[in-house]
Structure formats: C-alpha cells, structure tokens
Amino acid sequence: MSVLRDTLIRFGESEAARLLVTRSPLRALSRRFVPGERIEDLMRSIQQAQADGMTSTCNYLGEAVQEAAQASRAAGVYVRVLERMHKQRIKGNVSLKLTQLGEGVSDKCLGENLTRVLHTAGSVGAFVRLDMESSAHTRRTLDALERLWARGYRNIGVALQAYLRRTPGDVERMIQLGARVRLCKGAYAEPESVALQERDEIRQSFSKLTRRLLSEGHYPAIATHDEAMVDVTLDHASRESIPPDAFEFQMLHGVRRDLQHELVADGWRVRVYVPFGEHWYPYLMRRLAERPSNLLFFAGSLARESLLGFRRGDRRSRRQGR
C-alpha cells in the first residue's frame, strides 16, 4: 500500500500526469465524482440532484491556503454559489475548510472570510458546514465553531470523523451546544494513537455514534455509502420512532447513486456532497493517496451500479420512511 500511496502522491504533484489525465478519457471518469471546475458545472449537478428529490451541499475544492488573496477569492466563490442557488431556487448548503478561508494566514483573515460567507448564507436561508480536515485541525475547527456560535450564528455545523478516538467526546460537546453534526467514518491517514485502524472497530464506532446522534443530536447527517451502516441508521430510527425529517443521509456525488435513489424513493432524506473547482485533480489524487483503498471503493461503486443495471427510478425495496 505504501508504494501505491507514494505513486499517487507523485502523480498528484506532477504537471505532466495532470495534463495526461486531463486530456485522456480518465477526465470524463473523474467528472463522475467532480462534475467540473466552474460554478455552472456545479449548478447543473445540483439541479439534477434536486430533480431527483435530493438536496446538495457544495464544496469549492482547495485547502491549506497561505495567501490572503487566495482565501478571499475562495470566500467570494462561496458567496456567489449561495447567491446563485437562492436565485435559481435550489435547496442547497455549502461545506468549507477553514484552511481554505485563511486559517493559515491569520485569525483576522479567517474571521473576515468566514463572516462574509455566513452573512450571505444567513441572508438567503442557507446552512454552512465546517468540513473536518486531518486530526491536526480538529480542535481548532471545533473551537472556531463555538466562537461563532457564541456570536449568535446558528446556521452552522461541523463534520466529525468516527474513527478518531476523541470523537465520542466531540459528539457530546456538539449535542450540548445544539450544533448539527455530519458523521462520517474518516478519510485521512492517521496514526493508531489518534484513530482506530481496523474496519470493524471503525464500523462499531460509527454505529454507536450514529445511534447517539439520532436520539440526542440536532438534525444529524449520517454520511455513509456502507449499506450495513444505512441499515443501522434505519433500524434505530424505526425502533425509536424517529421520523424521516429528523435526520438525513449524505453521500458523495457520483457514489452509490443506486442507493441514493433507493433511499429517496422510500421516503428518506438524502443530501449529495458535490465538490467542484480547478483543484479537482490534486483533490482526487490526495483522497486516493490518503487511503489507497478509496481507489477500490470508487471502482467498486462503478462496478456495483453496472452490475445492478442502474437507471434513474430503479431500486430495491427498503423500509419506507413514510
């Protein structure tokens, strides 16, 4: 795996490799997961999601910004996305990383850009999710959310990663605060001292935290493509009489579309996470390098839909949400 990881990292940094992928049929495949570079590309995808009965959360790709001008530009893109969604009557939110808006530049830079995005989101009735980055940023991200909460912002939430050993405490912290949580398994390569490593352990943590958030959380988002975890969610919702409008599933754009449509057809809420932007190539390579098993995951999603003969409207019956 280390050889594959190193190879993917080198590919992500290589301009020659980027040009090769961009000019080859692989670019068309990448659009399955990252629809394009422009806001127009994003809008087409989230309009389709809405037509299919889903909502969207939009992520402008980029992180670890070191220049104030870049951070300001990223904030401006989010502002335009929010305004476009409102103008076109699309139900959507945005999801952003603090390092993209200037955390590495200065507190002043980050504060100005965050306030700008949150103000626009509030004016159009949209929600802003603070994406979680590697464990080095977890505490700072949660502290930032609490500072914003203390200033009166309520259209804001955070993502938490079930494989981090600290996450049970963070879940309780967000429940006490009243903030909305997106729970995912976790995608970054972390040491054993920080994160669970075994698949079964991670699933157990995800299951436990899902049940806790469904029972005591505030409109949690259960972010998974794992059917076993979907069933854990639905079993708990049924057992505790938790209605379909009390939570939502979240899935990546282009991943397990068959499952997305199946859940919507059965009355459950699904939100699609749609990344876009010029940094689509390093984004894909970085995600694959962080966990090379993601390569098999994406390939498996394509193969599964192919085997099932996925078409819009096809589905297998699952417990009804209504």
Side-chain angles (χ1 to χ4, degrees):
M1 279 297 187
S2 61
V3 174
L4 178 57
R5 181 182 296 111
D6 291 344
T7 300
L8 289 168
I9 290 172
R10 287 197 298 273
F11 267 54
E13 296 172 345
S14 168
E15 179 64 14
R18 186 188 70 81
L19 290 173
L20 176 64
V21 172
T22 300
R23 295 170 181 175
S24 76
L26 291 174
R27 179 63 183 111
L29 178 61
S30 74
R31 287 195 180 92
R32 165 69 181 272
F33 308 108
V34 183
E37 301 181 3
R38 304 170 304 162
I39 291 178
E40 287 72 20
D41 300 320
L42 168 74
M43 297 304 294
R44 281 194 295 272
S45 293
I46 63 179
Q47 284 172 329
Q48 182 62 64
Q50 182 158 296
D52 290 340
M54 305 176 209
T55 52
S56 300
T57 189
C58 310
N59 173 237
Y60 177 54
L61 294 171
E63 56 189 81
V65 166
Q66 298 298 320
E67 297 180 7
Q70 288 180 304
S72 178
R73 180 178 179 275
V77 171
Y78 279 112
V79 166
R80 292 198 297 277
V81 167
L82 287 163
E83 291 173 343
R84 283 284 296 276
M85 287 193 296
H86 179 66
K87 182 178 180 179
Q88 296 182 220
R89 299 182 179 180
I90 294 174
K91 296 178 181 178
N93 300 328
V94 298
S95 196
L96 54 83
K97 291 179 171 63
L98 296 188
T99 62
Q100 184 183 27
L101 294 193
E103 182 184 68
V105 179
S106 68
D107 290 343
K108 180 176 183 292
C109 177
L110 175 61
E112 289 176 350
N113 289 323
L114 263 179
T115 299
R116 185 176 166 198
V117 175
L118 286 168
H119 176 76
T120 302
S123 69
V124 300
F127 178 80
V128 176
R129 181 87 62 182
L130 302 187
D131 259 343
M132 194 54 71
E133 304 180 58
S134 70
S135 62
H137 300 276
T138 302
R139 181 183 59 80
R140 283 180 286 178
T141 301
L142 293 174
D143 288 349
L145 183 139
E146 289 201 357
R147 288 194 298 271
L148 291 164
W149 199 271
R151 289 170 55 189
Y153 289 104
R154 295 295 182 270
N155 61 327
I156 191 168
V158 72
L160 295 177
Q161 302 175 97
Y163 74 157
L164 294 183
R165 298 183 186 278
R166 61 169 291 157
T167 297
D170 292 334
V171 164
E172 296 304 319
R173 181 179 175 184
M174 293 299 103
I175 288 174
Q176 291 294 321
L177 189 65
R180 288 163 54 176
V181 170
R182 175 207 292 143
L183 181 69
C184 61
K185 286 182 179 177
Y188 293 86
E190 299 282 2
E192 187 174 0
S193 59
V194 171
L196 304 171
Q197 303 294 313
E198 298 300 322
R199 181 184 180 188
D200 287 345
E201 284 186 309
I202 295 170
R203 274 184 159 185
Q204 289 172 12
S205 176
F206 189 92
S207 299
K208 181 178 179 180
L209 295 173
T210 291
R211 289 190 288 266
R212 180 65 178 153
L213 285 166
L214 288 172
S215 293
E216 301 295 336
H218 304 269
Y219 194 71
I222 311 303
T224 184
H225 309 91
D226 184 338
E227 290 199 57
M229 299 300 97
V230 169
D231 286 338
V232 164
T233 303
L234 298 181
D235 285 341
H236 188 76
S238 175
R239 188 163 51 249
E240 300 298 320
S241 299
I242 298 170
D245 61 357
F247 67 97
E248 66 185 26
F249 290 101
Q250 290 194 7
M251 299 186 187
L252 294 172
H253 171 74
V255 179
R256 290 306 310 271
R257 295 180 302 177
D258 57 318
L259 182 56
Q260 293 173 18
H261 286 261
E262 176 192 331
L263 288 166
V264 168
D266 283 344
W268 303 102
R269 292 185 173 186
V270 175
R271 186 178 300 274
V272 183
Y273 184 99
V274 189
F276 78 104
E278 315 87 73
H279 296 287
W280 64 268
Y281 176 73
Y283 165 82
L284 284 177
M285 292 300 104
R286 192 162 52 250
R287 293 290 86 83
L288 296 176
E290 283 159 355
R291 280 182 171 249
S293 58
N294 286 343
L295 184 60
L296 299 177
F297 173 75
F298 285 127
S301 179
L302 291 170
R304 189 178 295 106
E305 289 185 12
S306 177
L307 288 171
L308 290 173
F310 170 74
R311 299 184 303 276
R312 284 191 174 85
D314 289 352
R315 68 182 178 94
R316 290 173 291 110
S317 179
R318 195 177 288 266
R319 288 181 298 279
Q320 297 289 322
R322 294 184 183 131

